[in-house]
């Protein structure tokens, strides 16, 4: 008996010495990390919609914020979600695709202008695109005058604009990762008669899946967050807005802030993204770093 | 070789394809940018006219605050024919030369003088007014069964007695900034720019620290210490809905929240210290004509035959719960409705200055209000600073 | 077979682009036309003709990059050398035309003149037919004014002209169709009286107050003979200095750049904004990284079985769209009534006091940044080969020593390029600032644009789109170029130091 007690207390001691403080740190940081999310949830179910009376467990609970959100025909939330998903998924796929092909070429091929291309794509991305909204508007407007499907209020031009942002940090990250794949592998495949396209799709791509997932996730959330260019290109029509642009309309005004439906919508918009992230989180650690480590 | 021939063939085919698509028939399209959320109402109210005249109406929700980007897009040829803006943009739109005069299109008899003044610059009208908006005073009927105050004295004594008896924590829930405080500011003798017959023509005459205001400024400090206003400047609407504040200054956007909270209230104007009603700023929403519109004549025709009709005003006001600028449409509104209460006070209000200088005013004026509320300065000193800073900034222009 | 297929697809696509180019040119979109011709040629060359491989992988991305990034950036660059701002956005012709049109005085005591739109049967030109004064009929357009015989005209009781010899009066539907041509018609009647259609039925008569002389490049006020000459800021100015609005856009050379140094009104707020931009970015990267690293070390213990759960919780901030979470934070920070003040029983003027607003910005930025820093630190620590750590332990290195001399340098080497990228991002972190504080509280005497939490990019944005004193694109573009130069320099310097550029060679 005493033997077991001794073991237990040793285990306890170990736990105290090695693990307790880690749990304390973890809980403190977890509170910090979850703080706004918890209040977002609480506010979403608080029918009074006032930040001044908001409590962790709302006094007046109910779903009226959600029913308000769904019943507002001028602010069709689900259409916003659909718009956001269409734009963010297509543009993130496009960004990953363009980034991957470019990175492959920059990693595997030696050609004139390679260094210039690498430097250019890194530097160009640092130019703030904010001021470009006017000229982007003018470009898309001329698109629309000639081909209405490519004009303002349509999602395709917006997707292409984001696609143009693929060459940049993403490409550098992917190139860094491709550099770590030993070139002997493609040499061997080349001897077996594989062309560049086969090497890319059959050898490089399968190895880089985790990095692709990370690039896709980062692009995806980046595009979901964009609202300046999005609102300029898609317009402020209820049916054309994205979640990021649309939900802001609830608390847009200087005075008329409507927190209830905003937090309800924010919560609903957060859930799928959060789920996706948690689902793919194991790739995040490896993917984020592998791009920058070189063999 | 075969491939090359195929290529040439494809080239020919595609050129033929593109050549055969005739350019879109450019006849009679009107493009109108409206406020977000209003597009459907505009479409419904204009569809008959469009069908009758065989005009394609392209109504897009594009505008929010500000000038819709028109100062940039108009001259570049990317603007619509007509666009929506609030009247306080008139001055800067005119200064930039992106709007064309509508003096010969507007039927002045349809609109109240104050509304017309809002869209007027240099004696010309530049916008066709659609709706008017302003703040108003809400009285909590649970705390004040006698209803809306008739005089300032009544308001002040009701509020202070409720506060001293501990029933209320604050007298009037309001933002302590220029827009919300304008009626109180005015009743103490302050003004932004000299206003003659509803027009702001002399922006040299700044009254942020007028002689009368200087004399009365200490009243404002007294009201703050009496908790008539809440010095934390947080606009705590829950104090009103929970029966801890007898009065709240509200805008049309506040009504939903008040109704949802189930509080019983009455809307009215804000009484002036000098008797009568103190004037808040009223804002006019209007349609402006792009100077670089593709079809100005048709746009004017549309303004005359559609936008200036009573039916159109009614349709828009019903759709977005705004008070119509059109006199006849306004008269048709149920007098007991909330919109009518706002409108009744709005008719007495002062059009918000539409001069380009106004943008500068807000900064200094609001800053001084914040300094006063936070206790950094007495009201008089704060306004004196605002006035001096503003004069200095405008002089440097 | 596949090659043939590729060839056909490439050609087809290239030709579609060429066709689009044609349509753009037809609609006078010169730049897009030019761009699509080049794209078409490039795509056909790269995919169907050239044997070189790299282009096949790079061209689509590069084309989008040029169209949507480089061209707009170039456009901003051009604007930076102009006085493009409120009141200076038209071309000179547009501005002079605007001054003349706006100063037209309606002729007093003259009722609007009813007109009919008609087409000359011979030349097919559009004319307006009207009577002025009573029983005198005219057909006119901008080029000519022809008197008509009374006998040739059919006038109804309502004053409408339904027929005129030599002309075909248009139906109302046809008039609507012709309306876009009508707006340009100006008929010179006599004595400087001009007739212009005010809608589809009436002409309005007005007198010009200004006349423009092309030869002397001056505006003449007709009633007084006063002349106005263009100044070098794109505005007509009278002899005693009175300005006519609107002005127009002119090239001002380096003025926008030099005003950053010379103009007290711009320099003072800009210096403060610049200092905060750098301070904020560096601080947040340093704090964020330390926070993330310590967290990563804490949770890298093999004995901690719950670390997966912690990790899941820690990445939550990364997974909430920040445009939403920052707005939630802004509600939490509301003074007195916000959750934070009520929980802690404090009355902090978050967002309205310079110091506290900066603290609030840092808290939110830390909240957004630390998960990323935690992830990369964790990855970097895991990437350290176990042998190295073990070797150190065998050598008897203390935990602290093994950390500071072995782990930290290795981690730093791995994450350094990512930190440089983070720094570049933090320097451009528009969203948090704009959504949380809007850059405020505003500095006094900064023209209302710059505030205590403004970083260069948010200040620039406000100057361009949201300015209190009228939008100033010229200055904003100049600032965005300076911002770009700053970030590029810092990044290149950083990367050079990290020696990651070696991958390029």
């Amino acid at each position: 008996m005493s033997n077991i007690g001794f073991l237990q207390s040793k285990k306890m001691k170990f736990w105290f010495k090695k693990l307790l403080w880690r749990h304390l740190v973890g809980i403190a940081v977890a509170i910090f990390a979850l703080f706004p999310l918890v209040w977002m949830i609480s506010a979403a179910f608080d029918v009074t919609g006032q930040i001044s009376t908001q409590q962790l467990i709302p006094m007046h609970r109910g779903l009226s914020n959600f029913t308000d959100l769904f019943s507002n025909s001028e602010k069709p939330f689900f259409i916003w979600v659909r718009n956001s998903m269409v734009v963010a998924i297509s543009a993130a796929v496009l960004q990953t695709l363009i980034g991957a092909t470019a990175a492959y070429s920059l990693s595997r091929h030696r050609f004139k202008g390679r260094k210039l291309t690498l430097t250019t794509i890194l530097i160009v991305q640092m130019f703030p695109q904010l001021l470009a909204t006017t000229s982007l508007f003018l470009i898309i407007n001329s698109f629309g005058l000639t081909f209405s499907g490519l004009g303002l209020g349509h999602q395709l031009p917006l997707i292409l604009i984001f696609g143009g942002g693929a060459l940049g940090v993403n490409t550098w990250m992917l190139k860094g990762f491709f550099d770590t794949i030993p070139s002997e592998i493609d040499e061997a495949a080349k001897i077996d008669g594989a062309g560049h396209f086969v090497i890319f799709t059959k050898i490089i791509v399968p190895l880089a899946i985790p990095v692709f997932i990370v690039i896709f996730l980062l692009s995806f959330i980046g595009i979901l967050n964009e609202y300046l260019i999005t609102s300029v290109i898609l317009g402020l029509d209820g049916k054309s807005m994205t979640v990021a642009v649309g939900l802001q309309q609830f608390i847009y005004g200087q005075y008329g802030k409507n927190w209830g439906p905003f937090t309800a919508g924010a919560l609903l918009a957060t859930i799928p993204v959060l789920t996706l992230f948690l689902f793919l989180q194991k790739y995040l650690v490896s993917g984020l770093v592998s791009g920058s480590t070189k063999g | 070789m075969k491939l090359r021939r195929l290529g040439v063939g494809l080239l020919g085919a595609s050129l033929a394809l593109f050549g055969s698509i005739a350019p879109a028939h450019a006849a009679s399209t009107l493009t109108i940018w409206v406020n977000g959320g209003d597009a459907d109402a505009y479409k419904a109210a204009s569809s008959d006219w469009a069908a009758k005249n065989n005009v394609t109406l392209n109504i897009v929700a594009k505008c929010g605050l500000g000038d819709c980007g028109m100062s940039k897009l108009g001259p570049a040829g990317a603007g619509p024919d007509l666009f929506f803006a609030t009247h306080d943009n008139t001055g800067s739109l005119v200064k930039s030369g992106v709007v064309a005069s509508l003096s010969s299109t507007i039927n002045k008899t349809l609109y109240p003088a104050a509304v017309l003044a809002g869209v007027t610059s240099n004696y010309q009208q530049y916008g066709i007014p659609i709706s008017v908006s302003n703040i108003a005073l809400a009285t909590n009927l649970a705390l004040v069964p006698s209803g809306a105050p008739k005089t300032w004295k009544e308001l002040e004594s009701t509020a202070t007695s409720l506060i001293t008896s501990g029933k209320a924590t604050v007298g009037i829930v309001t933002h302590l900034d220029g827009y919300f405080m304008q009626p109180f500011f005015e009743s103490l003798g302050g003004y932004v720019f000299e206003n003659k017959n509803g027009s702001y023509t002399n922006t040299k005459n700044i009254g942020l620290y007028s002689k009368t205001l200087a004399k009365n400024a200490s009243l404002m400090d007294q009201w703050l210490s009496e908790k008539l206003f809440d010095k934390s400047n947080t606009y705590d609407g829950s104090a009103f809905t929970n029966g801890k504040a007898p009065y709240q200054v509200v805008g049309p956007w506040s009504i939903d929240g008040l109704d949802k909270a189930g509080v019983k209230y009455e809307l009215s104007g804000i009484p002036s210290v000098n008797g009568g009603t103190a004037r808040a700023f009223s804002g006019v929403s209007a349609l402006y004509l792009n100077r670089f519109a593709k079809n100005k004549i048709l746009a004017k025709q549309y303004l005359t035959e559609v936008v200036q009709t009573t039916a159109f005003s009614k349709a828009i006001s019903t759709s977005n719960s705004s008070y119509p600028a059109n006199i006849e449409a306004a008269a048709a509104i149920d007098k007991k409705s909330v919109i009518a209460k706002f409108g009744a006070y709005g008719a007495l209000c002062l059009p918000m200055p539409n001069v380009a200088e106004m943008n500068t005013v807000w900064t200094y004026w609001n800053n001084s209000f914040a300094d006063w509320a936070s206790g950094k300065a007495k009201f008089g000193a704060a306004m004196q600073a605002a006035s001096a800073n503003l004069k200095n900034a405008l002089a440097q222009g | 077979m596949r090659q043939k297929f590729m060839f056909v697809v490439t050609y087809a696509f290239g030709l579609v682009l060429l066709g689009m180019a044609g349509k753009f040119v037809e609609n006078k979109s010169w730049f897009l036309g030019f761009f699509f011709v080049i794209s078409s040629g490039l795509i056909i060359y790269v995919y169907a003709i050239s044997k070189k491989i790299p282009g096949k992988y790079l061209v689509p991305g590069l084309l989008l990059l040029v169209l949507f990034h480089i061209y707009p950036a170039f456009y901003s660059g051009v604007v930076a050398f102009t006085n493009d701002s409120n009141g200076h956005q038209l071309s000179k012709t547009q501005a002079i035309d605007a001054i003349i049109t706006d100063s037209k005085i309606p002729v007093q005591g003259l009722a609007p003149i009813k007109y009919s739109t008609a087409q000359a049967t011979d030349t097919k030109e559009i004319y307006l037919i009207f009577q002025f004064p009573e029983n005198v009929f005219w057909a006119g357009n901008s080029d000519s004014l022809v008197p008509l015989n009374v006998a040739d005209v059919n006038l109804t009781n309502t004053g409408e002209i339904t027929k005129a010899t030599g002309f075909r009066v248009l139906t109302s539907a046809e008039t609507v169709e012709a309306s876009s041509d009508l707006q340009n018609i100006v008929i010179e009647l006599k004595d400087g009286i001009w007739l212009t259609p005010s809608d589809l039925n009436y002409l309005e008569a007005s007198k010009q107050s200004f006349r423009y002389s092309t030869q002397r490049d001056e505006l003449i006020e007709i009633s007084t003979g006063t002349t106005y000459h263009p100044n070098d800021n794109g505005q007509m100015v009278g002899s005693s200095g009175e300005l006519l609005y609107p002005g127009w856009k002119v090239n001002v050379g380096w003025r926008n750049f030099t005003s950053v140094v010379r103009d007290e009104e711009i320099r003072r707020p800009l210096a403060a904004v610049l200092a905060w931009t750098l301070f904020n970015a560096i601080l947040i990267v340093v704090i964020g990284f330390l926070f993330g690293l310590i967290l990563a070390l804490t949770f890298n213990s093999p004995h901690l079985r719950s670390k997966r759960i912690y990790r899941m919780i820690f990445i939550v901030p990364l997974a909430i769209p920040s445009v939403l979470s920052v707005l939630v934070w802004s509600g939490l920070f509301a003074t007195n009534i916000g959750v934070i003040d009520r929980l802690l029983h404090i009355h902090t003027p978050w967002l309205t006091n310079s110091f506290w607003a900066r603290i609030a910005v840092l808290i939110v930025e830390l909240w957004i940044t630390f998960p990323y820093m935690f992830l990369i630190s964790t990855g970097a620590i895991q990437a350290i080969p176990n042998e190295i750590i073990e070797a150190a332990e065998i050598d008897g290195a203390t935990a602290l020593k093994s950390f500071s001399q072995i782990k930290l340098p290795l981690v730093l080497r791995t994450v350094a390029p990512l930190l440089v990228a983070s720094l570049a991002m933090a320097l451009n972190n528009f969203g948090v600032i704009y959504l949380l504080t809007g850059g405020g509280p505003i500095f006094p005497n900064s023209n209302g644009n710059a505030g205590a939490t403004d970083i260069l990019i948010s200040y620039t944005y406000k100057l361009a789109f949201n300015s209190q004193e009228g939008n100033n694109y010229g200055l904003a573009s100049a600032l965005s170029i300076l911002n770009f130069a700053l970030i590029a320099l810092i990044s290149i310097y950083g990367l050079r130091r990290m020696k990651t550029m070696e991958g390029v060679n």
Side-chain angles (χ1 to χ4, degrees), chain B residues 76-390:
Chain B
D81 295 286
L82 296 165
F83 65 98
F84 171 97
T86 50
H87 86 269
D88 44 316
N89 292 294
T90 309
S92 71
L93 285 169
V94 171
K95 186 180 162 193
S96 287
V98 295
V99 287
S101 165
L102 288 172
S103 297
S104 63
T105 308
I106 192 167
N107 179 349
K108 293 186 202 167
T109 59
L110 296 177
Y111 308 99
V115 167
L116 279 177
V119 295
T120 303
S121 177
N122 289 332
Y123 307 103
Q124 302 224 37
Q125 282 75 42
Y126 284 90
I128 301 295
I130 307 287
S131 61
V132 191
S133 67
N134 52 268
I135 51 175
L137 186 75
T139 304
N140 189 329
L141 293 177
L143 268 182
V144 193
S146 58
K150 308 278 177 304
T151 62
W152 176 258
K153 239 187 200 134
E154 182 189 339
L155 186 155
E156 195 182 4
S157 63
T158 313
T160 41
S161 71
L162 283 169
I163 291 167
T164 41
S165 70
K167 277 191 192 150
T169 51
V170 55
I172 308 170
V173 174
T174 177
H175 291 278
L176 299 180
D177 63 14
Y179 181 66
F180 268 74
M181 295 299 283
Q182 154 65 20
F184 309 103
F185 188 73
E186 192 206 30
S187 57
L188 297 184
Y191 56 92
V192 177
F193 294 122
E194 180 187 34
N195 182 298
K196 269 192 186 153
N197 311 323
S199 262
Y200 299 90
T201 43
N202 181 7
T203 52
K204 296 271 183 295
N205 185 341
I206 295 165
L208 288 188
Y209 191 63
S210 70
K211 278 194 185 116
T212 331
L213 182 85
K215 209 169 61 199
N216 292 332
S218 59
L219 271 177
M220 207 58 120
D221 298 314
Q222 183 196 324
W223 295 337
L224 193 66
S225 65
E226 284 174 357
K227 290 192 184 164
L228 209 54
F229 301 125
D230 173 15
K231 62 170 181 283
S232 75
N233 195 7
T234 48
Y235 196 73
D236 181 5
S238 65
F240 183 80
T241 50
N242 293 341
K244 287 285 175 194
Y247 305 107
Q248 181 177 5
V249 182
V250 295
W253 56 84
S254 323
I255 296 306
D256 249 12
L258 291 182
D259 289 344
K260 220 185 276 170
V263 60
K264 285 219 161 32
Y265 62 92
E266 184 182 350
L267 283 181
S268 69
I270 294 164
S272 165
V273 180
N274 310 315
T277 311
R279 295 181 293 178
F281 282 143
S282 67
V284 180
S285 302
L287 280 183
Y288 291 80
L289 175 62
N290 177 6
R291 182 188 292 283
F292 308 99
K294 308 255 178 334
N295 202 335
K296 276 187 247 180
I297 301 289
L298 194 60
K300 286 179 177 174
Q301 193 78 13
Y302 171 76
L303 290 174
T304 307
E305 292 183 349
V306 180
V307 178
Q308 300 202 60
T309 61
T310 312
F312 181 87
S313 287
K314 279 183 186 164
I316 301 297
S317 119
T318 320
S319 139
N320 63 12
S321 310
S322 62
Y323 191 75
N326 180 303
I327 294 172
E328 241 177 83
I333 285 182
D334 176 11
K335 292 283 170 299
K336 291 198 186 75
S337 70
V338 170
I339 299 180
K341 290 278 167 64
F342 273 111
Y345 178 41
L348 305 170
C349 284
L350 194 64
M352 179 145 32
N354 62 3
V355 288
E357 291 87 344
M358 196 57 197
N359 291 322
T360 320
V361 173
W362 292 122
T363 316
Y364 296 116
W365 202 22
N366 288 344
N367 272 356
S368 286
F369 267 109
D371 283 351
W372 162 65
S374 65
K376 259 191 225 165
K378 291 280 181 203
F379 193 73
M383 289 304 141
Q384 193 173 12
S387 176
N389 286 336
L390 178 63

Side-chain angles (χ1 to χ4, degrees), chain B residues 10-11 21 28 71-72 95-96 104 124 232 234 291-292 294-297 300-301 359-360 363 396, chain C residues 15 23 84 87 89 94 98 102 176-177 179 183 197-200 204 245-246 265 335-336 468-469 473:
Chain B
L10 275 170
L11 176 72
I21 305 172
S28 322
S71 58
K72 198 92 187 110
K95 186 180 162 193
S96 287
S104 63
Q124 302 224 37
S232 75
T234 48
R291 182 188 292 283
F292 308 99
K294 308 255 178 334
N295 202 335
K296 276 187 247 180
I297 301 289
K300 286 179 177 174
Q301 193 78 13
N359 291 322
T360 320
T363 316
Q396 292 187 6
Chain C
L15 291 174
K23 301 293 283 183
D84 190 341
Q89 278 165 335
Q94 285 174 332
D102 279 8
V176 168
E177 259 181 57
S179 57
Q183 68 175 334
S198 58
D199 55 21
L200 291 173
E204 96 188 282
Y245 278 97
E265 284 268 307
T335 305
N336 288 352
Q468 304 277 12
E469 286 216 330
Y473 296 94

Side-chain angles (χ1 to χ4, degrees), chain C residues 26-82:
Chain C
E26 201 176 300
N27 280 346
K28 300 197 175 72
S29 304
W30 305 118
F31 168 73
L32 285 176
F34 174 73
F35 179 81
F36 273 73
V37 169
I38 300 284
S39 308
S40 159
L42 202 61
I43 282 175
I44 293 180
Y45 173 75
V46 165
Y47 289 99
I49 298 171
S50 167
K51 289 274 180 287
K52 294 213 178 81
I53 299 164
K56 298 186 202 299
Y57 288 88
L58 282 167
V59 160
L62 284 178
L63 286 177
L64 288 177
L65 186 74
V66 168
L67 183 58
F68 293 124
H69 286 252
I70 297 181
Y71 169 70
F74 176 76
Y75 180 88
S76 293
V78 173
V79 172
F81 294 94
T82 67

